């Protein structure tokens, strides 16, 4: 029989600010974190809506990407310690991302033949923040960097759970980071028809509602600590599953069979029934394809009592940072006794939550859908 896997520490750096309290205060306010920023409109001289992580962190950690990653991880570790966690002999680290330290890579490209300062060059390697974190805390368990595009956070926590179940690690720190909201990156997502910069977030991103156009591009670094030893936990990770649509490099498969299989597989892995699930925390990007697929999942798997919501109208879509941001939000919602579902602004699905509410008993399923066909679902139990 598998041991219970708990989430006992949370750290966050988002466009709401540095620290999980900034994330929670932003969610609880119901106000999106995006700003009308210079250079993100249709042309470089026009502003547009985007959600950047503000400057902060320890200068000696290196780039903003490294500072955010390490700050989120440190906060999660400190939080876990305050909740009764002590590191085991083998603490593992999983770092997830898609475009690691894009700003520094862009600078390297612009330099051409000119050599970058050695410390800056080494600092932009995906291995460096992990090595820094392992050395700082004396962790000697397994470590790796991983990517499943926008499903990275869910894939990472499921990998961590597998390590714990297999006895490969005593505890695992998972951190996912995406600070890729540069103008070229954002504009390409706009060109692909999924990101929106020309109107405010609540006008653009309306998951499971009429008039939705897509998401506001954002950034985030979020970390959690997972353990199977007794602590004052936020939530229990009951189980999960992943599938791949094997359909298209960008578009979702009109046939939801494989997406549905991820959710039914997650419930089976968690030894849970659909009727046990009170909330479906959706990937919910506000794109029409995502709306179609997750509505099909909701209607095919869950009873009408299961409610659906997405926090992306508030947080934006931070790509590889999104799933762990949403898992952290589920954990904080249970502790703070408030599900921070955005208030709908248009006619929507009959099972869409009607704004913030006190949580009711039952499990939460978190779905994640990554570009290229990645589908993941995790099952969380909160007190």
């Amino acid at each position: 029989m598998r041991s219970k896997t708990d989430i006992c520490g949370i750290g966050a750096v988002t466009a709401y600010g540095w620290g999980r309290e900034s994330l929670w205060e932003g969610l609880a306010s119901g106000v999106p974190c995006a700003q009308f920023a210079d250079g993100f409109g249709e042309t470089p001289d026009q502003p547009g809506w985007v959600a950047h992580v503000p400057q902060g962190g320890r200068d000696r950690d290196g780039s903003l990407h490294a500072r955010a990653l390490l700050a989120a991880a440190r906060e999660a570790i400190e939080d876990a310690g305050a909740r009764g966690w002590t590191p085991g002999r083998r603490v593992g680290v999983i770092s997830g991302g898609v475009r690691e330290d894009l700003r520094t890579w862009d600078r390297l490209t612009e330099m051409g033949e000119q050599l970058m300062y050695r410390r800056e060059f080494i600092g932009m390697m995906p291995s460096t923040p992990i090595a820094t974190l392992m050395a700082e805390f004396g962790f000697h368990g397994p470590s790796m960097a991983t990517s499943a595009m926008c499903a990275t956070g869910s894939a990472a926590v499921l990998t961590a759970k597998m390590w714990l179940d297999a006895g490969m690690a005593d505890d695992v720190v998972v951190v996912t980071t995406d600070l890729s909201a540069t103008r070229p990156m954002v504009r390409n997502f706009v060109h692909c028809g999924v990101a929106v910069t020309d109107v405010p977030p609540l006008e653009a991103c309306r998951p499971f509602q009429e008039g939705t156009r897509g998401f506001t591009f954002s950034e985030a670094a979020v970390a959690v600590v997972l353990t199977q030893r007794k602590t004052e936990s936020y939530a229990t990770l009951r189980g999960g599953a992943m599938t791949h649509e094997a359909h298209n490099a960008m578009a979702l498969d009109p046939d939801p069979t494989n997406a549905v299989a991820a959710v039914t597989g997650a419930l089976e892995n968690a030894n849970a029934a659909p009727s046990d699930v009170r909330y479906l925390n959706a990937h919910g990007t506000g794109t029409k394809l995502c709306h179609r697929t997750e509505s099909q999942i909701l209607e095919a798997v869950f009873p009408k009592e299961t409610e659906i919501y997405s926090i992306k109208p508030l947080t934006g879509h931070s790509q590889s940072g999104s799933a762990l941001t949403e898992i952290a939000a589920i954990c904080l919602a249970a502790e703070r006794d408030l599900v921070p579902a955005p208030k709908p602004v248009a006619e929507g699905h009959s099972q869409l939550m009607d704004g913030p509410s006190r949580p009711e008993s039952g499990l939460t399923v978190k779905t994640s859908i990554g570009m290229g066909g990645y589908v993941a679902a995790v099952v969380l139990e909160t007190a």
Side-chain angles (χ1 to χ4, degrees):
M1 182 176 180
R2 294 174 300 181
S3 298
K4 187 163 72 96
T5 300
D6 288 335
I7 296 173
C8 64
I10 297 173
V13 176
T14 68
Y16 282 121
W18 290 65
R20 66 181 174 278
E21 291 304 321
S22 294
L23 170 61
W24 177 253
E25 288 169 8
L27 291 172
S29 74
V31 177
C33 63
Q35 300 291 323
F36 203 44
D38 291 340
F40 282 85
E42 183 63 30
T43 61
D45 61 334
Q46 294 178 327
W49 290 94
V50 66
H52 288 120
V53 163
Q55 290 293 325
R58 302 179 185 177
D59 288 341
R60 67 176 180 271
D61 287 337
S63 68
L64 182 61
H65 174 276
R67 299 200 305 269
L69 185 158
L70 290 167
R74 289 178 185 127
E75 185 183 32
I77 292 165
E78 180 182 359
D79 185 34
R83 290 173 164 269
W85 174 73
T86 54
R89 182 173 61 87
R90 298 165 304 169
V91 179
V93 172
I94 299 175
S95 174
V98 174
R99 292 296 181 191
E100 298 290 330
D101 209 354
L102 192 59
R103 291 176 178 78
T104 311
W105 278 105
D106 286 349
R107 187 173 119 69
L108 177 65
T109 302
E110 291 168 1
M111 290 176 69
E113 289 296 306
Q114 183 181 352
L115 291 176
M116 181 178 280
Y117 178 51
R118 184 174 181 274
R119 182 178 176 186
E120 186 180 13
F121 176 71
I122 297 300
M124 67 191 284
M125 296 296 115
S127 58
T128 299
I130 298 179
T132 301
L133 185 66
M134 300 292 273
E136 180 175 331
F137 290 95
F139 294 160
H140 297 285
S143 62
M144 65 181 289
T146 186
S147 176
M149 296 301 288
C150 307
T152 294
S154 294
V157 297
L158 291 176
T159 302
K161 187 177 188 305
M162 287 191 290
W163 284 3
L164 294 168
D165 288 341
M168 293 175 60
D170 301 306
D171 316 281
V172 184
V173 179
V174 174
V175 56
T176 62
T177 313
D178 197 302
L179 272 67
S180 63
T182 62
R183 175 176 168 79
M185 180 65 73
V186 174
R187 290 306 301 162
N188 274 284
F189 272 91
V190 171
H191 181 70
C192 288
V194 292
V196 180
T197 61
D198 62 345
V199 296
L202 296 181
E203 291 184 32
C205 188
R206 301 176 175 184
F208 313 104
Q209 300 167 65
E210 294 179 1
T212 190
R213 291 176 54 195
F215 57 81
T216 303
F217 207 102
S218 68
E219 299 179 326
V222 180
V224 296
V225 176
L226 294 98
T227 188
Q228 293 185 341
R229 292 176 293 130
K230 187 172 178 56
T231 63
E232 182 186 341
S233 65
Y234 287 99
T236 297
L237 176 59
R238 287 273 297 264
M242 292 188 68
T243 61
H244 197 283
E245 291 190 322
H247 171 69
N248 186 273
M250 186 167 183
L252 297 176
D253 193 341
D255 180 353
T257 300
N258 290 297
V260 169
V263 177
T264 56
L267 293 172
E268 181 179 357
N269 181 255
N271 193 26
S275 58
D276 297 331
V277 178
R278 184 67 186 83
Y279 301 107
L280 177 58
N281 180 295
H283 187 58
T285 58
T287 63
K288 292 180 180 179
L289 292 181
C290 188
H291 168 91
R292 180 193 65 198
T293 295
E294 290 192 294
S295 295
Q296 290 170 326
I297 290 172
L298 179 66
E299 293 155 11
V301 178
F302 298 105
K304 293 192 180 299
E305 293 73 25
T306 300
E307 291 185 284
I308 192 169
Y309 72 102
S310 165
I311 63 171
K312 282 190 174 67
L314 304 178
T315 62
H317 188 7
S318 58
Q319 311 303 306
S320 56
S322 63
L324 209 55
T325 301
E326 289 148 13
I327 289 171
I330 293 167
C331 293
L332 293 172
E335 184 189 54
R336 312 300 169 90
D337 201 30
L338 179 72
V339 179
K343 182 73 176 175
V345 296
E347 289 296 316
H349 195 284
S350 61
Q351 289 170 258
L352 178 66
M353 289 188 69
D354 188 26
S357 67
R358 285 199 149 185
E360 297 183 4
S361 60
L363 303 177
T364 296
V365 169
K366 163 81 207 121
T367 48
S368 302
I369 300 173
M371 181 187 294
Y374 299 93
V375 184
V378 298
V379 182
L380 294 166
E381 180 179 359
T382 54

